[in-house]
Amino acid sequence: MTVLVALGANLLIAVAKAVGGLLTGSPALLSEAAHSVADSLNEVFLLAALRRSRRPADSRHPFGYGKERFFWSLLAAVGIFVMGGCFSFFQGFEALRNGGEESSGGYVAGLAVLVVSLLAEGASLFRAVHQVRGQGGAGGLRDPALRTVVAEDGTAVLGVTLAIVGMALHMITGQIVWEASASFAIGALLVGVAYWLGRDAREQLIGRAADPESSGRIRALLEAQPEIDSVESLLTMEIGLDSTLVAARIDLVPGLDSEEVEEVAVRIKRSVAHMVPEADQIFLDVTDAAAARAPSRGDEARGDGARADGVSTEAAGTEEATHRAGTAEGPAATGERGGA
């Protein structure tokens, strides 16, 4: 619902800004129109992410499609950068190069469009912030779709404010540099937000570990089990918004038979899933820590063989040298000067 509200607001605002910008020739207003078009396209990306990420797991994607949200959020960040940020910089350079004058009616129309846009963007931002609070405050921003909407609406409110200030100063001073500066500021703002969203989506796409608090609780739970002698390693990875993979290599205490090992594994998995609900893919690798740390017998055999080969080679070389020394003829026997 939050994405749909943002999409409806951005579509209406984009049309209003584009019409107002073309009629008045305002670079700041055209920059904001490009910003709203980019936001509208991004909402379509986010709707696709929400729909596609809910598909169940299959044979080709055994861990599900949760990372679809991260992929489409990355595309949304690219859209903000290209369509919003770059076009805003272009409008700023065009304004400085060509200059421009607006009539008083153009100023009034442009400012009216921006004020209405500010109200609409503010309502959309209020809706997004309300949902973030409903999902636990900052924890709600783990959802890339909601995080993108909050970032878009926040930058839209700030961008419209910059456009209003730039247009007002242009109207007062008659200097186009104010609106050009507003376009540059909007462009820099959009590029910064796009970088922040893209960096976060990239980390989630390549496989980001669970938050340190969850990892610490899982490790503490494993170490507290009486059947576990040591936890050799613990690996976690977010594979979706509410799905986390947990893989632990554990060393069990001696004396457990196969049935006891199975019972322990089942109980530990249930305990981890109960403590961290998003940990829905749990794998336990039972290993012998002492044997893993010590060199294997094969390595020792290869080392002994290498040492034996070295000794035999050395002995053979010594024997060959002795044979040559015994059979070679010295200078007195051959009648030649010098040795062999």
Side-chain angles (χ1 to χ4, degrees):
M1 181 58 65
T2 298
V3 176
L4 288 174
V5 170
L7 176 60
N10 284 323
L11 285 175
L12 294 176
I13 294 169
V15 173
K17 289 177 181 177
V19 173
L22 292 175
L23 292 177
T24 62
S26 168
L29 199 53
L30 289 174
S31 296
E32 273 301 300
H35 181 186
S36 296
V37 170
D39 287 350
S40 301
L41 182 61
N42 292 338
E43 311 304 339
V44 176
F45 287 159
L46 297 180
L47 288 175
L50 293 175
R51 179 178 296 273
R52 295 176 65 87
S53 64
R54 295 193 183 106
R55 290 182 294 172
D58 52 37
S59 59
R60 288 182 58 84
H61 300 86
F63 294 108
Y65 292 82
K67 288 194 175 185
E68 286 269 11
R69 291 200 183 196
F70 310 146
F71 170 74
W72 291 100
S73 297
L74 180 61
L75 290 187
V78 174
I80 293 175
F81 176 83
V82 176
M83 297 186 61
C86 295
F87 187 79
S88 296
F89 283 120
F90 172 76
Q91 283 297 318
F93 285 117
E94 283 294 304
L96 292 177
R97 188 168 65 90
N98 298 327
E101 292 293 336
E102 298 178 17
S103 63
S104 58
Y107 287 123
V108 173
L111 289 174
V113 169
L114 289 175
V115 170
V116 173
S117 301
L118 182 61
L119 295 176
E121 298 286 8
S124 179
L125 177 61
F126 176 80
R127 164 71 189 184
V129 172
H130 177 72
Q131 183 171 345
V132 170
R133 290 178 177 176
Q135 295 184 0
L141 294 179
R142 291 180 57 251
D143 185 346
L146 184 57
R147 182 172 60 245
T148 302
V149 171
V150 172
E152 287 179 349
D153 290 343
T155 54
V157 169
L158 185 55
V160 170
T161 303
L162 292 172
I164 291 175
V165 172
M167 183 174 287
L169 291 175
H170 183 194
M171 179 177 63
I172 295 171
T173 63
Q175 300 294 324
I176 191 64
V177 66
W178 292 110
E179 278 201 69
S181 299
S183 293
F184 288 137
I186 293 170
L189 177 65
L190 293 176
V191 168
V193 171
Y195 171 77
W196 175 66
L197 291 174
R199 181 189 61 183
D200 201 66
R202 169 185 169 273
E203 290 182 358
Q204 292 174 313
L205 273 176
I206 63 179
R208 185 170 63 184
D211 61 271
E213 180 183 357
S214 297
S215 298
R217 286 189 295 162
I218 295 173
R219 178 176 285 276
L221 174 65
L222 295 176
E223 292 176 345
Q225 302 302 313
E227 297 85 0
I228 295 180
D229 190 25
S230 64
V231 179
E232 296 302 307
S233 64
L234 176 63
L235 305 176
T236 62
M237 184 176 66
E238 295 179 355
I239 56 178
L241 180 61
D242 297 315
S243 181
T244 300
L245 184 148
V246 177
R249 183 173 291 112
I250 57 177
D251 181 19
L252 299 178
V253 296
L256 297 179
D257 59 28
S258 59
E259 291 185 359
E260 290 176 323
V261 170
E262 291 178 0
E263 293 176 358
V264 168
V266 172
R267 190 188 73 242
I268 291 175
K269 290 181 179 181
R270 288 177 179 173
S271 301
V272 172
H274 179 73
M275 175 180 289
V276 184
E278 60 268 20
D280 57 348
Q281 301 288 344
I282 305 172
F283 300 90
L284 300 178
D285 178 19
V286 179
T287 183
D288 187 350
R293 295 191 186 101
S296 64
R297 294 182 177 180
D299 294 338
E300 293 179 352
R302 284 191 295 271
D304 293 340
R307 287 191 293 271
D309 291 342
V311 172
S312 61
T313 302
E314 182 180 358
T318 305
E319 182 180 356
E320 181 179 358
T322 305
H323 174 72
R324 288 177 179 174
T327 57
E329 295 178 334
T334 58
E336 298 177 358
R337 294 183 179 272

